[in-house]
Amino acid sequence: MSKYLLDLSKEFAGKKAIVTGGSRGIGAATAQRLIDAGAKVVVVARSRHEETPKQAVLVSGDLRTLEGAQKVAKEAIERLGGVDILVNAAGAARVHLPDSMAISDEEWVDSLNINFLSALRVTNALIAELKKSKGAIVNVTSGGRIAYAGAMAHYGAAKAALNNWSEALAKELAPLGVRLNIVSPGPITTPGGDEVRKTITSAMGITNEQFFSVVPLEGRAGKAEDLAEAIAFLVSDRASYVTGDTLFVGGGLGTLAAL
């Protein structure tokens, strides 16, 4: 029987996973997808939300600092006893109208910390364990990392940095059997994304329907579960020969996808 004809409900049985930003949105959906397939999952977030998977172990902390990221990684390893899968989904976007000149120095630093450096720091803190398990990493960037400008230039710059570093690290880890891939979301309905989108559509004087109308695939938004399924594939053995690649999940928008 082909190894691909498997029971996906047991695909991650015995696997240990860490999902940052796992309390809601894409992170929560990913954590639930891994749990449903048998994984033991730690979600990293400041607190639980209604959509946080009940079966997940919560490790709370602030990933905006090196000390916070290292503390979270240490506690997660202690709770799991190792790690096979790391999903860096933590992130936050804020709109500063009317343009990039309205973005303060503090906001630039904060965006780099949460949207780029948090993933770098957590990954570095867990890399020894991932080498042991020959694990898999997925970094969630943004379909708009090339296109963002103006009021969200700081977010786009941080995601571009995350993408560049991810591609470089993937090449370093490949000889060690550790795979790292990127998932780049387009217009996905999540609590954070919806809040940002509301600000954008209000400023543009358009409706949500008009905003999504540019999506080639039926002019509709995606769901967090769409991203979770893509991430599950990339961290699974089904993607055992895939590393250093970017999977765009944006209904056909590709690199021009936005929140």
Side-chain angles (χ1 to χ4, degrees):
M1 178 184 292
S2 168
K3 67 177 181 179
Y4 300 110
L5 297 177
L6 47 81
D7 182 355
L8 295 183
S9 68
K10 300 177 182 177
E11 184 173 27
F12 299 115
K15 297 291 187 180
K16 303 163 185 175
I18 298 172
V19 181
T20 70
S23 64
R24 61 179 192 162
I26 294 169
T30 300
Q32 189 63 64
R33 174 65 177 81
L34 297 175
I35 289 168
D36 290 344
K40 183 178 180 182
V41 177
V42 160
V43 297
V44 178
R46 281 181 284 186
S47 60
R48 281 189 180 272
H49 291 272
E50 186 176 343
E51 61 185 295
T52 308
K54 293 179 173 56
Q55 308 96 313
V57 176
L58 175 69
V59 171
S60 59
D62 187 356
L63 300 181
R64 287 177 169 85
T65 68
L66 175 61
E67 295 76 14
Q70 290 175 337
K71 179 177 179 294
V72 160
K74 182 175 184 292
E75 184 176 348
I77 289 297
E78 289 173 352
R79 301 291 291 271
L80 290 173
V83 60
D84 304 289
I85 296 166
L86 170 62
V87 179
N88 287 306
R94 286 185 289 269
V95 182
H96 293 273
L97 298 170
D99 53 36
S100 65
M101 295 298 101
I103 304 171
S104 68
D105 185 75
E106 290 77 14
E107 277 291 307
W108 276 99
V109 172
D110 190 63
S111 184
L112 286 168
N113 272 323
I114 190 59
N115 293 305
F116 167 44
L117 293 173
S118 66
L120 182 149
R121 290 161 176 161
V122 169
T123 302
N124 285 346
L126 294 172
I127 204 65
E129 293 293 332
L130 287 161
K131 288 177 182 178
K132 288 179 189 177
S133 65
K134 293 191 174 182
I137 306 167
V138 166
N139 289 336
V140 180
T141 61
S142 170
R145 69 182 188 277
I146 297 172
Y148 279 126
M152 293 185 66
H154 58 323
Y155 178 75
K159 290 297 189 179
L162 176 59
N163 187 71
N164 186 281
W165 166 73
S166 297
E167 292 177 356
L169 184 61
K171 290 181 174 63
E172 294 178 26
L173 295 177
L176 305 174
V178 179
R179 296 185 301 105
L180 187 159
N181 289 289
I182 299 162
V183 165
S184 190
I188 307 296
T189 54
T190 65
D194 292 346
E195 184 177 338
V196 169
R197 194 176 300 111
K198 183 178 179 181
T199 301
I200 293 172
T201 55
S202 177
M204 295 174 66
I206 62 174
T207 64
N208 262 343
E209 289 72 20
Q210 290 171 312
F211 182 91
F212 292 124
S213 66
V214 299
V215 179
L217 187 60
E218 302 179 315
R220 63 179 175 83
K223 304 188 295 287
E225 289 75 15
D226 296 321
L227 269 296
E229 198 61 41
I231 292 167
F233 165 70
L234 288 173
V235 300
S236 76
D237 290 341
R238 290 174 288 147
S240 61
Y241 200 57
V242 181
T243 196
D245 287 325
T246 299
L247 177 56
F248 292 99
V249 185
L253 282 177
T255 59
L256 294 180
L259 283 173

